[in-house]
Amino acid sequence: MAIAVAEVILHQWQVSPYCAKVRKMLRHKGIGFRAQNYHGLLASQAAKLSATGKLPVLDYDGQRIADSTAIAIFLDDRVPAAPLYPGDPAQAAMARIFEDWADESLYGFEIFFRAEYPEARAAAVALLSEGRPKWEQHLFAPLFIRTLRRRLKATGFRIENKADIEAAFLRHMADLDALLARRDWLVGDRMSIADIAVSAQIDEVVRTSHLAEHIRALPGLARWLGRVAE
């Protein structure tokens, strides 16, 4: 049952893994919310919502919080039920390590695949243009691609190492598959921020990347992704 609050609005880009992370948090806690998308050229309006100009931004009953990790901490404070971070200190530490790995390392792979593969770029542009006039896509697409490449440059991944980057990512997926072969969750005996953050990044690779079938072919990982699906 959704928790009743005055108003909860998630300002998001639909294909952002960090926005997906917040959607999963809210649903995990049973918090009803409205998603406000910034598709097409509306993306320029997102810069006005936070000091960094990035999404997600959450409006929660009159308060505005930016950054997915800050939102997670805020939500656990305001709605303690269905905690995102385990109560056990060692498990909480491990959950935060998984969250940071997802937000920093896995995000680099997701950006690389989306920036450097034409099919993934086209799929992302189409999703981010939904509901907007057709003419906008011609203006929005080059802006979005430049943004992707700028973010990709910050990751340090180089296009000439494409095969090595794919292989490294698939090794990470195989490692997760091995971890999940005999357990339901990454940390402890229930869903936590670890599952939410890691799955949010992988979901976006599955959504637009040619590597989707490789991920679905890993049985433990595929079952787990089903358990943490939106």
Side-chain angles (χ1 to χ4, degrees):
M1 180 180 296
I3 296 169
V5 295
E7 188 174 34
V8 179
I9 303 171
L10 171 61
H11 301 275
Q12 67 166 11
W13 288 305
Q14 188 179 10
V15 299
S16 162
Y18 300 111
C19 296
K21 178 183 170 187
V22 176
R23 292 195 302 268
K24 287 175 184 256
M25 293 180 206
L26 292 167
R27 289 176 177 137
H28 174 64
K29 285 185 167 290
I31 299 172
F33 68 97
R34 175 170 64 86
Q36 176 65 53
N37 289 313
Y38 290 80
H39 288 173
L41 298 182
L42 291 177
S44 63
Q45 297 182 12
K48 305 172 185 177
L49 297 174
S50 70
T52 64
K54 297 179 180 179
L55 299 181
V57 169
L58 189 71
D59 286 341
Y60 188 105
D61 201 9
Q63 290 186 256
R64 176 163 288 181
I65 312 97
D67 182 79
S68 64
T69 298
I71 292 169
I73 294 168
F74 172 85
L75 290 176
D76 259 2
D77 181 61
R78 287 296 297 267
V79 184
L84 297 165
Y85 296 92
D88 176 77
Q91 290 185 359
M94 184 58 67
R96 286 190 291 268
I97 289 169
F98 269 113
E99 181 184 20
D100 188 64
W101 175 66
D103 288 355
E104 302 299 328
S105 180
L106 286 185
Y107 177 67
F109 288 102
E110 188 266 328
I111 287 294
F112 181 84
F113 299 141
R114 194 163 276 174
E116 294 302 333
Y117 292 79
E119 297 85 356
R121 283 200 307 270
V125 167
L127 287 165
L128 285 172
S129 299
E130 286 182 357
R132 304 301 300 163
K134 288 287 186 182
W135 61 266
E136 265 196 24
Q137 184 164 339
H138 299 291
L139 296 175
F140 171 71
L143 293 172
F144 175 65
I145 292 167
R146 281 200 296 272
T147 299
L148 276 180
R149 292 192 181 282
R150 186 167 60 249
R151 291 178 181 172
L152 177 60
K153 185 176 181 181
T155 70
F157 287 168
R158 300 173 63 85
I159 184 61
E160 58 265 31
N161 297 327
K162 184 179 285 189
D164 291 341
I165 291 169
E166 284 191 18
F169 176 77
L170 291 175
R171 282 196 298 273
H172 285 310
M173 298 302 99
D175 287 344
L176 286 171
D177 184 61
L179 283 174
L180 293 161
R182 297 183 180 180
R183 59 208 276 191
D184 290 338
W185 310 107
L186 289 174
V187 176
D189 60 358
R190 64 190 65 188
M191 186 189 294
S192 73
I193 195 66
D195 305 284
I196 289 169
V198 174
S199 67
Q201 297 291 340
I202 298 173
D203 285 348
E204 288 307 321
V205 176
V206 170
R207 192 203 289 252
T208 59
S209 171
H210 66 293
L211 296 174
E213 291 307 313
H214 293 275
I215 294 168
R216 294 189 185 106
L218 297 169
L221 182 60
R223 285 192 297 270
W224 171 78
L225 285 172
R227 284 194 292 273
V228 294
E230 289 190 65

